[in-house]
Amino acid sequence: VTDDTAALQQALDATANDRLLFLNGKTYAIRGLLVGPGMGGIAGPGTLKGLDKKPMVVIRGDRGAPTRDVQIRGITFEAGPSLHPILATDAQHTVIEACRISGLRDGSRGISIDPGCLHTAIRNCRIEAPRDKTLESIVGIVVASPKTPGRPGAFDPAGYFSPPVGQVKFLEETT
C-alpha cells in the first residue's frame, strides 16, 4: 500500500483562499491530513483509507486562530485502524456532508466535534459499523460540550445549539 499522506497534504496546503482539494474519484491511503486556516477542505467523490490510529482528517485552528468555512463533502472514509476518521477542533462554520464512514471498530468515533467549534453542520452522512463482529463501544458522532457555569461537566444544549436543534435519524439497517 502506498502512503499518499505527503502528496495529499502538499496539495491541500496549496488550496489557499478557501479552495477545495478534489479527490477525483480515486482512493488514497493516509496517516492523517490537517485542514488549517485558509484551506477550504476536501471534496469527493473519492475514498480515504486510514493507515494508522491517528485521526484521518483533522480540521484545526492555529495559534488561537480558528479555522473557518471548511467543507468535507462526498468522501468515503474507510477507517481501518484509525479511531477518528474526522476530528474538528477550534473550527467555525464547518460543513461535513454526504460522507460515508465505514470500518469503525471498538473505541472508534466516526465524527468528533470538540469544544471551540461553532456552527458545525453534519448532513446526510452514513456511518457504518462492521457486521461481522460484536462491538463493545462505538460512537458515530461525538459533540464535546463546553462546561456549563455552575455545573461542572454538564451539557447545556440551550447554550450550545441554535434552535431548532434538529434530529438524529437512525436507518433501519444500522445497528
Side-chain angles (χ1 to χ4, degrees):
V1 174
T2 302
D3 184 347
D4 300 305
T5 306
L8 278 181
Q9 187 65 57
Q10 184 177 10
L12 190 57
D13 291 346
T15 61
N17 302 321
D18 301 321
R19 292 193 178 120
L20 295 172
L21 172 64
F22 290 93
L23 299 182
N24 296 322
K26 297 181 180 174
T27 299
Y28 300 93
I30 61 168
R31 294 190 186 277
L33 298 173
L34 174 64
V35 180
M39 298 177 190
I42 308 170
T47 300
L48 297 176
K49 297 178 92 168
L51 291 176
D52 61 19
K53 290 184 178 183
K54 294 178 188 173
M56 295 172 69
V57 173
V58 177
I59 306 163
R60 183 179 70 212
D62 185 33
R63 296 184 187 115
T67 295
R68 298 177 188 274
D69 303 314
V70 169
Q71 300 175 46
I72 306 294
R73 295 182 187 266
I75 299 172
T76 296
F77 290 85
E78 294 179 5
S82 177
L83 295 175
H84 296 18
I86 302 172
L87 171 62
T89 181
D90 201 18
Q92 297 179 5
H93 304 282
T94 301
V95 175
I96 301 168
E97 184 170 39
C99 291
R100 179 179 163 261
I101 298 173
S102 67
L104 296 177
R105 57 193 177 84
D106 277 343
S108 293
R109 296 177 175 186
I111 301 171
S112 295
I113 309 299
D114 285 351
C117 292
L118 299 172
H119 310 289
T120 300
I122 301 171
R123 292 185 276 231
N124 301 317
C125 291
R126 183 179 180 102
I127 300 172
E128 301 172 351
R131 297 180 184 275
D132 60 341
K133 57 184 167 183
T134 302
L135 296 175
E136 297 292 326
S137 171
I138 185 172
V139 180
I141 299 173
V142 175
V143 178
S145 68
K147 292 182 180 179
T148 302
R151 297 184 357 191
F155 178 63
D156 178 11
Y160 200 72
F161 293 105
S162 298
V165 170
Q167 70 184 92
V168 175
K169 180 179 180 183
F170 295 96
L171 302 175
E172 289 181 22
E173 67 262 22
T174 304
T175 56

